[in-house]
Amino acid sequence: MRDGKGPSRAPVLQFTNCRILRGRRLLREDLWVREGRILDPEKLFFEERLVADQQRDCGGCILAPGFIDVQINGGFGVDFSQATEDVGSGVALVAQRILSHGVTSFCPTLVTSPPEVYHKVLPQIPVKSGGPHGAGVLGVHLEGPFISREKRGAHPEAYLRSFEANAFHDVLATYGSLDNVRIVTLAPELGRSHEVIRALTARGICVSLGHSVADLQVAEEAVQSGATFITHLFNAMLPFHHRDPGIVGLLTSDRLPPGRHIFYGMISDGMHTNPAALRIAHRAHPQGTKTLSGSIAPMDVCVRHFLQATGCSVESALEAASLHPAQLLGLEKLKGTLDFGADAGQGPMWGGLGSLKIQEFLGGLGQGQGGQRVESLLCPGSLTQPASLGQIPLAQQARLSDI
């Protein structure tokens, strides 16, 4: 058998003594990685006739997909909505820092801003692959300005907009190029919103419902037009009412198109959303959950709180921050999973496992399926020491606290 020492072949890394999150189960299997891709060991052995070049003993820990944060307004002194000459450096800083909190891909999020800010900022945030330098950028999330005045929260009222007669033209005039845009949050009760939803989804842009006073019927019509996401469920929308549950009612609606899956984000930081509300949402629609930071709490803290508050399995908590957002963005074949062929982070980061202290993250908080004790968590591409979360600018903190 070839030992794979030739100069033209990338090394194969084998992670042993671990539990892998795969197919909603924790499996006691080894994980094989080469050039940032997860390998099928049978094909490697029988077709390529290769063995691992390096092995890493994980000490019985869990290997899970990297987290995906689809709504992050900034951090570490950076506000993505500030129109500077070097927006890219701020994005790069956040991308690097969030690795230590398990986030390997994210959508930089801009709050309601004037057109000149969008025109200046958006071209400076291109889609970018992740690696040792930082988490990957999946595209920008535009939260506003086409939202409800009543539910604007801390979004500046002066910059809120409605759709004019040529609705999609108004969108383009406001944002400029949509090339780097992945998600748009809007209020579906605005006139001509369904025209905009159809136009955005036709371009492959995910439409999310939020900062809205829409009733359930309007929300259902928005989903029928192509909307697939709810921005910070329960926050900045009409409260649940038994006669009309509003956007929240989408979780159990029977008027959604066949096969259409609605996802929702929740601010699982222990402050914005009561634990009882987290439990209601998760139990009503567990496969659509996407946990969010949404405040100055990092993603790993939110996953821990979500696990404690809902009493869900460790597998479900991890998938809420990895698989589900990947499914939302249509990336589940490559991200949010440890299936063969999926992204596995970058070689130098995997290779550093042996010399780094493993982040004890979910220790003592719950049991896996079959009663396995959770000792710690490893996220591909984020095998680094935990870093303290930097401070979002005061203005941004005020915005977030008023959601």
Side-chain angles (χ1 to χ4, degrees):
M1 176 175 292
R2 292 180 287 164
D3 60 8
K5 300 301 182 181
S8 62
R9 190 185 66 75
V12 174
L13 303 180
Q14 178 187 6
F15 294 87
T16 65
N17 190 17
C18 55
R19 285 171 288 159
I20 299 173
L21 179 63
R22 181 179 286 161
R24 296 185 173 86
R25 298 173 58 200
L26 286 172
L27 306 176
R28 289 194 174 275
E29 295 182 2
D30 293 350
L31 189 71
W32 302 68
V33 177
R34 179 173 61 196
E35 291 189 311
R37 286 285 182 270
I38 297 173
L39 301 176
D40 181 341
E42 290 190 5
K43 289 185 177 180
L44 182 72
F45 185 85
F46 292 108
E47 296 181 11
E48 299 187 49
R49 300 188 63 77
L50 296 175
V51 295
D53 298 285
Q54 302 175 42
Q55 290 185 334
R56 295 289 185 270
D57 189 328
C58 298
C61 296
I62 294 173
L63 267 64
F67 297 153
I68 301 173
D69 196 338
V70 300
Q71 186 178 358
I72 175 171
N73 299 93
F76 312 98
V78 176
D79 182 348
F80 297 141
S81 298
Q82 295 296 314
T84 66
E85 297 297 329
D86 190 16
V87 174
S89 64
V91 174
L93 173 64
V94 173
Q96 195 280 323
R97 295 288 188 88
I98 60 179
L99 282 179
S100 63
H101 297 286
V103 179
T104 56
S105 302
F106 71 113
C107 293
T109 305
L110 275 62
V111 297
T112 295
S113 304
E116 55 267 26
V117 169
Y118 295 117
H119 295 178
K120 187 170 186 176
V121 172
L122 286 178
Q124 298 187 61
I125 313 180
V127 174
K128 186 175 182 180
S129 298
H133 59 277
V137 176
L138 300 177
V140 177
H141 181 168
L142 299 175
E143 187 183 1
F146 302 100
I147 59 175
S148 164
R149 292 184 181 275
E150 181 179 341
K151 292 297 182 180
R152 67 184 184 278
H155 287 241
E157 184 175 9
Y159 302 136
L160 298 182
R161 300 177 68 92
S162 57
F163 300 117
E164 304 300 330
N166 191 343
F168 193 63
H169 177 78
D170 192 43
V171 170
L172 295 176
T174 300
Y175 295 141
S177 173
L178 297 175
D179 290 346
N180 296 333
V181 176
R182 197 61 182 256
I183 304 173
V184 172
T185 291
L186 55 78
E189 71 272 16
L190 297 179
R192 306 180 183 88
S193 65
H194 300 297
E195 172 188 336
V196 171
I197 293 172
R198 287 189 290 268
L200 289 172
T201 54
R203 290 179 174 231
I205 296 173
C206 170
V207 174
S208 185
L209 310 181
H211 289 279
S212 167
V213 294
D215 60 26
L216 178 57
Q217 180 178 344
V218 169
E220 290 170 333
E221 291 170 351
V223 174
Q224 291 162 7
S225 294
T228 55
F229 190 40
I230 303 172
T231 295
H232 44 61
L233 184 72
F234 298 119
N235 292 272
M237 61 186 60
L238 292 178
F240 181 91
H241 189 278
H242 66 282
R243 293 190 182 276
D244 193 327
I247 290 177
V248 177
L250 289 175
L251 273 61
T252 57
S253 172
D254 59 1
R255 294 191 57 211
L256 303 185
R260 179 68 54 81
H261 202 69
I262 188 74
F263 294 86
Y264 57 91
M266 293 189 294
I267 307 177
S268 177
D269 61 355
M271 179 180 70
H272 284 83
T273 309
N274 187 281
L278 294 177
R279 288 191 290 273
I280 289 171
H282 176 69
R283 293 172 187 176
H285 196 51
Q287 297 308 319
T289 311
K290 190 289 173 194
T291 60
L292 291 175
S293 292
S295 66
I296 60 172
M299 180 65 88
D300 53 352
V301 172
C302 291
V303 174
R304 182 192 295 120
H305 178 71
F306 181 73
L307 177 66
Q308 289 178 310
T310 64
C312 69
S313 68
V314 172
E315 295 89 334
S316 294
L318 293 173
E319 288 185 342
S322 56
L323 177 62
H324 297 171
Q327 291 171 330
L328 166 70
L329 299 176
L331 300 173
E332 66 272 18
K333 298 297 184 182
L334 294 175
K335 298 186 181 297
T337 177
L338 297 183
D339 289 344
F340 303 140
D343 289 347
Q346 301 299 311
M349 303 184 107
W350 284 104
L353 175 63
S355 62
L356 293 173
K357 180 180 178 182
I358 296 170
Q359 181 178 358
E360 290 233 355
F361 166 78
L362 295 176
L365 293 182
Q367 304 285 335
Q369 288 185 356
Q372 305 122 323
R373 188 72 177 174
V374 177
E375 299 298 339
S376 58
L377 166 73
L378 299 179
C379 292
S382 61
L383 304 179
T384 57
Q385 295 267 15
S388 60
L389 184 68
Q391 292 299 309
I392 296 176
L394 291 177
Q396 183 71 4
Q397 292 188 39
R399 260 186 241 143
L400 292 166
S401 66
D402 197 29
I403 291 175

